Amino acid sequence: MVLGFSGSQLFGVGLAVIGMVVLAFSGRYVWRATGIYRAAAVSTLGETTPGTLVRISGTAQQGEADLLSAPFSGRDCLALRYAVEERRLSPVLLPWFVTIHELAGSDTFRLRTSEADIDIVEPAHTVTLERNIVATVPPSDDPPERIERFERGAAAVPVTTYWREPPSLLQPITRLLSIGTRRYSEQRATPGDDLTVVGRVTERRDGVNPLVVSDRPPRQTFLRMTKTSLVGLCIGVFVVVLGLVLVLL
C-alpha cells in the first residue's frame, strides 16, 4: 500500500495519466484540424485584423526565398513533408510500416488568389499533400545514392536496426514477411499547384503565418488530418476509463 492505494489502484492511476497525455496530444491536433472550418475564407487580407485565423486558396508561386530540395527525390518544392517508414511486427504480430522519422516544413512563398498575391511568411506547422512513395528498399538491398547520403547525414535516422538485421535464425521468417523493408515518401507542393493555407494574419497585415498547407478542399483536409488523431483519441479514452475502473474497484 502506498498512500492508501493498492498496487492495482496505483497501476490504474498510471494508466489514467498516460491516457490523459494521449488525449491531450491527439486533441491538440484535432483542434488544429478544426481550424479549416473555424478560419474565415478570404481572397485578400485587406483590412483583416492582425492575428485573425484565415483560410486562403490559390495558386502557389515562388516568393523571395529559394526553393526547398526534397531529400529523397531531389525535386524542388515550396512546402515539404517527408517520412521514413520501416516494416515491423505490430503488437498483434502482423507486419506493418512504422514511421521512424518524419519532418515537415515550408519556406516563404506566395499564393495567387482571384484578388491578390498573399505571402506565406513562416514555416508551416502541418503539411498535408498528395503522398509520393519515392523508394521501397528491402533490407538486403542498398538504397539509392541520394537516400543513402541522407541516412548517413541524419542522426535521427538509424542506418540499420534490429528489424533490418535480425539474428540469422530469424532471417528466413523476416524475409518472408518483408520485415525491415524501408519506405521513403514525400509530400511536395511545387509552383503552380493549387493550395489551401490556414493561418493567422501577421501584425503588419503583410502576409500569413501558416498553420496548415494542404492540396485538398476543407472537408478532405480535415478528414486526412484527423484520421490518425481520432484513433489516438479512442485509445486515450479507453486507457483513461480502464485506469479509472482500476482505481475505483
Side-chain angles (χ1 to χ4, degrees), residues 35-109:
I36 295 289
Y37 294 109
R38 291 183 288 109
V42 300
S43 55
T44 181
L45 298 184
E47 298 300 318
T48 307
T49 304
T52 300
L53 187 66
V54 296
R55 184 177 74 244
I56 54 177
S57 298
T59 304
Q61 305 287 336
Q62 184 176 0
E64 298 179 357
D66 293 334
L67 294 173
L68 302 174
S69 180
F72 307 142
S73 66
R75 294 188 58 182
D76 292 334
C77 51
L78 300 169
L80 170 70
R81 180 178 179 179
Y82 63 85
V84 180
E85 300 168 290
E86 189 170 89
R87 191 169 172 85
R88 300 177 176 180
L89 289 179
S90 71
V92 292
L93 301 181
L94 294 176
W96 61 8
F97 279 100
V98 176
T99 300
I100 61 174
H101 179 68
E102 186 173 39
L103 197 61
S106 63
D107 213 333
T108 302
F109 64 96

